[in-house]
Amino acid sequence: MLVVVGLNQKGATVADREVLALPAEEWPSVLAGFGDLGGVEEVAVVSTCYRVEIYAATRCPTAATLALRQALHARAGRELPLFELHGEEAFRHLVRVASSLESAVLGEPQIQGQVKSSFQRAAEVGTAGKELASVLSKALAAAKRVRTETSVGRAGVSWGRAAVTLAEKVLGPLAGRRALVIGAGEMARLSAQHLRDEKASVVVLNRTLEKAEALAAEVGGSARTLDALDEELAAADVVVSAAPVALPSFEPAAMAKLLRARRRRLVLVDLAVPRAIPAESGKVPDVYLCDVDDLDRVMKAALAERAAAAEEAGAIVEEEVRKYARAEAERRAAPIIQEIRSRAADIAREEVERTVHRLGGDPELARRLDAMAGSIVSKILHAPSARLRQAACEGCDGEPLVRAAELIFGLTGAPERVRGNEAA
């Protein structure tokens, strides 16, 4: 069964989320730790600015989710507002995440790639295998349908657009304004593109000058290393921090000194999780600090405008969840039905052989009796097979019937399944 445990912007603040955020260098060890937990067969982590969610394949959902909860609380060093989902509910959530329906900015284009790369990273580390690969394939196919069959993707608003919207609320039109973009990754690129589109003068600052120059060339701006940050802050109107690096220049005392010297408004947009700019810096007069949770509030109007597209997308998601549930039910029921039919066919074959032997071993008689026995077996087991498939679709409600069938027919997996459910 697929399960998910984690938190996101719907139920957790940025302060909650940043204590679980995974730096790139920690991915292998953290994934390996989750993979070693009791009940966890395969595991992948989706960690973005808005969410840290652990997806696991497990034979014992209760044990796996309990172990994951304990591990996340231990990592944070405190209790967190975690959620958990099982089975088709977990799959529905993954599809909605990959489709950007769970994003603070509906239609934002980055999340599908982030989900895909997160599962691929788990596969490279060795904590995700064929079960999660199958789940990911189905989820991405569903997300592709949402993108191609609705206007969610076409009407999407990226983080970069949202950052520009925040700046415009404070400063008005950005044409001719000087904008700093710190970082050279995807979020920095999107922010720089939207700032360019608003005719702002863009300066890209990054530790590696070559990367800053590449992005600056793309948006028609200039590039410098982070050593020039203090100088650029003195002239900037907007600063978009898209790198999770805490810099001394953004400390409250440094900000207060800067604003006394420049005496005009400065908009700081912190897109990093963990946050790169201290919250206290936003209390300095004429400093307007926005973080990723502010994006959610700013874009409520955009979400309302896209309600129709979201409703269409939701219908597609539900259709894909039903397909997933049917496939999973068939997969759970198939071994049981196959073993019952195999047992019955073996018994019928033995009786046919015994009867033919007593009657002289006529090949034609053997053929006719074998066909008749096979037909009887199929007809007798048709209704039980259909009911077992339905019971598997019913999940926990149908589990007693599935277990009863295993016990009644004396199937080899019955003791293990009973023990597994008792353990769960």
Side-chain angles (χ1 to χ4, degrees), residues 158-214:
S158 73
W159 279 47
R161 176 67 258 175
V164 168
T165 300
L166 287 168
E168 289 176 331
K169 284 182 175 292
V170 176
L171 300 173
L174 298 184
R177 300 279 190 176
R178 191 170 181 85
L180 303 186
V181 176
I182 300 174
E186 183 64 12
M187 294 302 173
R189 184 177 68 84
L190 289 168
S191 300
Q193 288 174 343
H194 285 293
L195 288 165
R196 173 204 59 195
D197 293 344
E198 296 303 317
K199 301 187 180 345
S201 175
V202 179
V203 180
V204 180
L205 302 183
N206 194 57
R207 290 193 185 280
T208 305
L209 182 60
E210 290 78 9
K211 292 182 179 179
E213 289 175 335

Side-chain angles (χ1 to χ4, degrees), residues 3 27 38 48 86 146 154 177 214 258 328 336 362 367 369 424:
V3 299
W27 274 83
T48 71
H86 296 192
V146 170
R154 294 188 294 276
R177 300 279 190 176
L258 172 69
E328 287 297 293
I336 301 170
D362 183 356
R367 186 185 66 79
L369 288 177

Side-chain angles (χ1 to χ4, degrees), residues 7 10 16 21 34 39 74 89 109 125 134 157 189 227 238 259 267 269 271 303 306 352 383:
L7 44 72
K10 287 191 172 181
D16 291 324
F34 288 145
E89 291 295 327
V125 173
S134 175
V157 178
R189 184 177 68 84
D227 295 337
V238 181
L259 268 294
V267 176
V269 181
L271 298 182
L303 288 174
R306 293 166 178 80
V352 167

Side-chain angles (χ1 to χ4, degrees), residues 12-270:
T13 66
V14 65
D16 291 324
R17 302 195 303 272
E18 66 187 357
V19 297
L20 292 184
L22 294 183
E25 65 273 11
E26 292 186 22
W27 274 83
S29 61
V30 172
L31 280 168
F34 288 145
D36 289 337
L37 295 174
V40 174
E41 306 291 334
E42 298 180 17
V43 67
V45 179
V46 176
S47 178
T48 71
C49 292
Y50 275 131
R51 68 190 69 253
V52 178
E53 299 175 351
I54 319 300
Y55 293 85
T58 175
R59 292 186 178 91
C60 191
T62 303
T65 52
L66 176 61
L68 288 169
R69 278 181 171 276
Q70 291 173 339
L72 291 173
H73 285 145
R75 178 175 174 81
R78 59 183 172 88
E79 293 289 309
L80 292 171
L82 300 174
F83 71 89
E84 70 175 71
L85 299 168
H86 296 192
E88 63 185 80
E89 291 295 327
F91 179 74
R92 176 183 289 107
H93 180 74
L94 177 59
V95 173
R96 289 183 62 84
V97 168
S99 304
S100 84
L101 299 179
E102 292 295 313
S103 297
V105 181
L106 181 68
E108 60 98 355
Q110 294 82 34
I111 187 61
Q112 187 169 334
Q114 290 170 334
V115 169
K116 184 177 181 179
S117 63
S118 295
F119 276 68
Q120 288 176 336
R121 190 175 302 177
E124 292 168 1
V125 173
T127 61
K130 64 179 182 180
E131 291 293 329
L132 288 185
S134 175
V135 168
L136 175 64
S137 177
K138 292 181 175 69
L140 292 180
K144 183 178 180 180
R145 283 194 61 196
V146 170
R147 289 281 178 177
T148 57
E149 297 178 25
T150 75
S151 61
V152 164
R154 294 188 294 276
V157 178
S158 73
W159 279 47
R161 176 67 258 175
V164 168
T165 300
L166 287 168
E168 289 176 331
K169 284 182 175 292
V170 176
L171 300 173
L174 298 184
R177 300 279 190 176
R178 191 170 181 85
L180 303 186
V181 176
I182 300 174
E186 183 64 12
M187 294 302 173
R189 184 177 68 84
L190 289 168
S191 300
Q193 288 174 343
H194 285 293
L195 288 165
R196 173 204 59 195
D197 293 344
E198 296 303 317
K199 301 187 180 345
S201 175
V202 179
V203 180
V204 180
L205 302 183
N206 194 57
R207 290 193 185 280
T208 305
L209 182 60
E210 290 78 9
K211 292 182 179 179
E213 289 175 335
L215 177 54
E218 185 178 337
V219 298
S222 57
R224 303 185 71 178
T225 66
L226 283 176
D227 295 337
L229 178 58
D230 287 340
E231 179 184 341
E232 289 294 340
L233 282 175
D237 299 294
V238 181
V239 179
V240 178
S241 176
V245 180
L247 300 169
S249 300
F250 290 126
E251 291 296 324
M255 283 285 101
K257 181 179 180 181
L258 172 69
L259 268 294
R260 284 196 297 270
R262 49 177 282 148
R263 295 181 180 179
R264 70 179 190 278
R265 293 177 175 180
L266 176 63
V267 176
L268 304 177
V269 181
D270 189 353

